[in-house]
């Protein structure tokens, strides 16, 4: 099962133009048939004024014809390039039919070097309502990674299931900036043409990755990637402790990290590192000294409401054997979904969850007739029925063979791709590690006898950090020697403290 969906612009929307004419950001213009664009100057009456010296007074107009939208030149001096081809003065024609994603540019006759007053417009019928952001580019700017996941902070994360985990990279070299496609499912387009090799960029070029646009201006990027931070899960655990016979015992301490919506996170840890304790603290089930927030909400302070947005699948099976799959989910829906949910809405949600987890054919089967893998998926379905935004699973693949475990994890990847945060503890991570965006590594300190954060980041960064090719190799690094480990927990706890602070 692919973790990236095929790109589709979806249902056509009313046509829009995204316009850049030398201002600090992009303008959004809703098109109307007969709209005239021209130079913004006193005495000129145009519908779309453009602040550029190379735009004619009445440069062109946008028309809605039977064939679709078109741009018609009105005898302008410089004409208009559409995806690099000139229309209007000295061009092949004065009229061009427009397609979703077409890049219109008013510039010099040749486009190898942009005029200081060049204008760029992107025609869109699949636009998204997102703010435009700006990223400054310098000669010292490193690679800018684009994808559903990024390495540390060096990239732009796009919350879009049509974007691959590692989709593309803006790279600065001797000859300037270029864009690389990392064999992504849905490709990279420059000026609405798909590239098949590293592509050099010139100022005013427009790069498209699924529904996200990037305007390259030489010294900065403007982009409209969907924001992912507004529902970020922020975890700040100062201490989680218990008292036995009036003696305090610290289980976890000094854990700070943030997880973005759409992330599927692997939780690794050596023996006694506190993985389950960590889950309980983050979910609010066992509060720690610290603060857990989801977006602008405090999980601890608003636990009575937040607990309905948190799904947890424990190791043990909590299903009733003599119920059918459908009745199991229907009962869960009645308990977990809002009281004002209609019968039709409840049935639609049950059908959706059955489809997501591949249980449609087992709809009327008794629980006791299900295979081990099907029971695991039904346990997940019971928690998923209320559409939680945070999802925690403690060894959901225990007792399953490799194929069934991989299939189960692929189901979890689909859930994460819907914008949910999914955290998973598993003792067989390497067979499914490609499905995860990030990894949390907890290690038990020999000095403090408590669990600490030994790493948080991408899978690739974790391999480099621990100098091993496998996730099991990471656990070996931090386990005690009497547990067949290397006994390096404190070394990596201290190393990560420097790494997270930017000194490694």
């Amino acid at each position: 099962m692919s973790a990236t969906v095929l790109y589709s612009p979806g249902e056509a929307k009313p046509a829009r133009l995204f316009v850049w004419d030398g201002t600090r950001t992009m303008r959004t213009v809703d098109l109307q048939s007969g709209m005239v664009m021209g130079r913004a100057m006193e005495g000129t009456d145009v519908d779309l004024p453009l602040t550029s010296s190379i735009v004619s007074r009445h440069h062109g107009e946008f028309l809605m014809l039977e064939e679709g939208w078109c741009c018609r030149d009105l005898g302008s001096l410089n004409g208009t390039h559409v995806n690099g081809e000139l229309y209007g003065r000295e061009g092949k024609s004065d009229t061009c039919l427009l397609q979703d994603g077409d890049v219109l540019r008013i510039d010099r006759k040749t486009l190898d070097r942009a005029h200081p007053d060049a204008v760029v417009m992107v025609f869109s019928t699949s636009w998204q309502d997102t703010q435009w952001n700006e990223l400054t580019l310098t000669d010292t700017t490193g690679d800018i990674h684009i994808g559903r996941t990024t390495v540390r902070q060096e990239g732009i994360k796009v919350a879009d299931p049509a974007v691959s985990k590692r989709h593309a990279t803006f790279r600065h070299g001797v000859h300037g900036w270029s864009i690389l496609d990392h064999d992504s499912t849905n490709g990279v387009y420059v000026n609405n043409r798909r590239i098949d090799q590293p592509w050099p960029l010139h100022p005013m070029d427009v790069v498209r990755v699924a529904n996200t646009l990037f305007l390259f201006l030489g010294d900065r990027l403007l982009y409209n990637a969907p924001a992912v931070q507004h529902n970020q899960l922020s975890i700040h655990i100062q201490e989680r402790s218990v008292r036995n016979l009036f003696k305090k015992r610290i289980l976890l301490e000094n854990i700070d990290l943030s997880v973005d919506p759409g992330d599927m996170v692997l939780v690794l840890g050596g023996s006694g590192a506190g993985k389950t304790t960590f889950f309980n603290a983050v979910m609010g089930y066992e509060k720690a000294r610290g603060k857990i927030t989801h977006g602008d909400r405090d999980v601890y302070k608003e636990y009575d409401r937040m607990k309905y947005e948190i799904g947890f699948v424990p190791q043990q099976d909590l299903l009733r054997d003599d119920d059918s799959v459908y009745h199991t989910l229907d009962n869960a829906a009645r308990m977990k979904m809002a009281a004002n949910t209609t019968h039709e809405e409840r049935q639609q949600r049950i059908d959706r969850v059955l489809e997501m987890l591949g249980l449609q054919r087992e709809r009327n089967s008794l629980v006791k007739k299900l295979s081990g893998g099907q029971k695991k998926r039904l346990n997940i379905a019971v928690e998923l029925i209320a559409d939680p935004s945070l999802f925690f699973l403690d060894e959901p693949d225990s007792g399953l063979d490799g194929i069934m475990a991989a299939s189960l994890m692929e189901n979890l990847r689909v859930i994460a791709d819907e914008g949910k945060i999914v955290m998973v503890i598993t003792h067989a991570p390497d067979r499914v590690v490609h499905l995860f965006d990030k990894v949390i590594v907890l290690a038990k300190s020999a000095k403090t006898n408590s669990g600490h954060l030994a790493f948080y980041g991408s899978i690739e960064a974790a391999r480099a950090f621990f100098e091993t090719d496998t996730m099991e190799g990471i656990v070996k690094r931090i386990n005690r020697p009497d547990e067949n480990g290397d006994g390096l927990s404190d070394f990596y706890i201290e190393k990560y403290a420097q790494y997270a602070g930017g000194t490694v």
Side-chain angles (χ1 to χ4, degrees):
M1 183 181 299
S2 174
T4 305
V5 303
L6 291 176
Y7 169 75
S8 172
E11 183 180 352
K13 300 178 181 178
R16 277 186 175 177
L17 281 179
F18 296 110
V19 181
W20 191 87
D21 59 350
T23 55
R24 293 300 299 178
T25 189
M26 297 281 268
R27 280 190 287 158
T28 299
V29 177
D30 291 320
L31 278 181
Q32 302 292 330
S33 187
M35 181 177 284
V36 175
M37 62 177 170
R39 192 190 307 181
M41 56 189 300
E42 188 175 349
T44 301
D45 183 18
V46 293
D47 305 297
L48 175 54
L50 301 170
T51 57
S52 169
S53 63
I54 62 173
V55 172
S56 298
R57 285 167 116 6
H58 294 90
H59 195 101
E61 66 177 338
F62 295 93
L63 299 169
M64 181 60 177
L65 308 177
E66 288 186 6
E67 301 92 330
W69 280 97
C70 75
C71 178
R72 184 169 73 91
D73 188 76
L74 296 177
S76 67
L77 177 63
N78 292 304
T80 302
H81 292 85
V82 180
N83 301 329
E85 191 164 356
L86 181 62
Y87 289 82
R89 189 179 182 90
E90 300 180 12
K92 60 182 291 187
S93 170
D94 65 354
T95 301
C96 177
L97 283 173
L98 299 176
Q99 303 292 326
D100 181 51
D102 278 349
V103 177
L104 292 74
R105 186 161 147 188
I106 301 173
D107 203 342
R108 304 172 188 267
K109 297 297 188 297
T110 58
L111 300 180
D112 56 341
R113 189 164 67 90
H115 190 283
D117 283 346
V119 174
V120 175
M121 297 172 282
V122 182
F123 174 83
S124 178
T125 56
S126 63
W127 42 266
Q128 50 190 0
D129 280 318
T130 56
Q131 292 185 340
W132 284 83
N133 305 283
E134 180 177 315
L135 177 64
T136 300
L137 305 176
T138 68
D139 290 341
T140 59
T141 303
D143 288 355
I144 302 168
H145 305 292
I146 310 299
R148 283 204 324 272
T149 180
T150 59
V151 179
R152 297 183 76 180
Q153 300 299 317
E154 300 134 8
I156 298 171
K157 181 166 181 174
V158 182
D160 185 342
V163 174
S164 298
K165 290 172 65 176
R166 184 172 178 266
H167 198 111
T169 296
F170 287 95
R171 178 160 295 167
H172 188 264
V174 176
H175 301 293
W177 285 91
S178 60
I179 182 72
L180 294 76
D181 180 6
H182 297 301
D183 295 322
S184 62
T185 301
N186 293 305
V188 174
Y189 292 76
V190 177
N191 300 325
N192 216 23
R193 295 179 180 176
R194 186 165 183 168
I195 64 172
D196 57 7
Q197 59 185 348
W199 200 264
L201 295 174
H202 303 287
M204 312 298 177
D205 279 345
V206 175
V207 176
R208 178 168 64 82
V209 173
N211 281 310
T212 298
L213 300 172
F214 299 85
L215 174 60
F216 175 73
L217 295 173
D219 62 346
R220 61 194 186 279
L221 274 177
L222 302 180
Y223 63 95
N224 67 340
V228 297
Q229 282 76 25
H230 63 287
N231 281 324
Q232 194 177 62
L233 175 65
S234 295
I235 301 170
H236 306 286
I237 297 175
Q238 299 173 36
E239 179 186 290
R240 168 74 179 104
S241 60
V242 294
R243 288 189 176 273
N244 292 323
L245 298 177
F246 307 104
K247 184 177 181 180
K248 179 179 176 180
R249 180 187 170 205
I250 297 176
L251 305 178
L252 289 174
E253 58 183 315
N254 300 328
I255 297 177
D256 289 279
L257 58 94
S258 297
V259 186
D260 290 328
D263 273 354
M264 183 165 162
V265 182
L266 173 64
V267 180
L268 291 179
S271 177
K275 298 185 293 295
T276 301
T277 301
F278 172 73
F279 265 18
N280 289 338
V282 174
M283 291 187 295
Y285 181 67
E286 296 175 345
K287 295 181 177 63
R289 184 157 64 88
K291 188 174 185 179
I292 312 295
T293 59
H294 184 227
D296 58 357
R297 293 178 298 172
D298 189 309
V299 173
Y300 289 173
K301 291 181 179 179
E302 303 178 55
Y303 180 71
D304 287 342
R305 284 193 301 162
M306 287 293 298
K307 64 184 178 182
Y308 296 108
E309 298 180 33
I310 299 172
F312 175 57
V313 179
Q315 294 182 40
Q316 64 270 29
D317 185 351
L318 302 178
L319 304 174
R320 294 186 296 191
D321 282 348
D322 291 327
D323 281 350
S324 70
V325 169
Y326 168 77
H327 282 105
T328 298
L329 290 183
D330 187 56
N331 288 336
R334 291 175 186 274
M335 288 189 296
K336 297 173 181 287
M337 295 182 74
N340 62 352
T341 303
T342 66
H343 174 77
E344 290 74 18
E345 290 171 337
R346 192 167 60 249
Q347 298 309 305
Q348 288 175 3
R349 183 60 187 166
I350 291 171
D351 290 340
R352 173 63 177 144
V353 170
L354 287 171
E355 179 184 0
M356 287 180 67
L357 293 169
L359 291 170
Q360 304 97 317
R361 289 187 297 179
E362 285 71 41
R363 179 187 182 95
N364 298 315
S365 299
L366 293 179
V367 171
K368 63 185 177 183
K369 298 293 185 181
L370 300 179
S371 68
Q374 289 167 339
K375 285 185 178 180
K376 293 286 186 180
R377 279 183 278 157
L378 183 56
N379 273 294
I380 294 172
V382 166
E383 292 299 313
L384 189 61
I385 200 73
D387 200 21
S389 52
L390 305 174
F391 214 55
F392 298 83
L393 302 101
D394 192 349
E395 296 188 45
D397 54 347
S398 62
L400 302 182
D401 62 33
I403 295 176
M404 293 176 68
S407 176
L408 179 69
M409 291 296 184
E410 286 170 348
N411 290 132
L412 298 179
R413 179 70 260 177
V414 171
I415 293 170
D417 286 340
E418 287 200 333
K420 303 180 188 304
I421 290 174
V422 178
M423 288 194 180
V424 184
I425 297 172
T426 173
H427 284 304
D430 287 300
R431 60 190 176 187
V432 290
V433 71
H434 62 284
L435 297 172
F436 288 90
D437 299 301
K438 300 285 181 63
V439 57
I440 294 170
V441 181
L442 300 175
K444 187 173 184 177
S445 169
K447 296 178 180 178
T448 66
N449 201 36
S450 59
H452 293 253
L453 185 61
F455 184 80
Y456 174 58
S458 72
I459 301 298
E460 292 178 2
R463 289 174 175 142
F465 184 83
F466 288 96
E467 299 180 287
T468 179
D469 293 332
T470 67
M471 298 299 102
E472 291 179 2
I474 291 175
V475 177
K476 186 176 186 297
R477 287 275 193 267
I478 57 179
N479 266 352
R480 300 195 308 263
D482 61 356
E483 296 171 328
N484 198 32
D486 297 332
L488 296 174
S489 59
D490 285 298
F491 170 80
Y492 283 109
I493 291 168
E494 293 168 9
K495 180 181 177 181
Y496 181 72
Q498 295 178 325
Y499 176 90
T503 59
V504 171

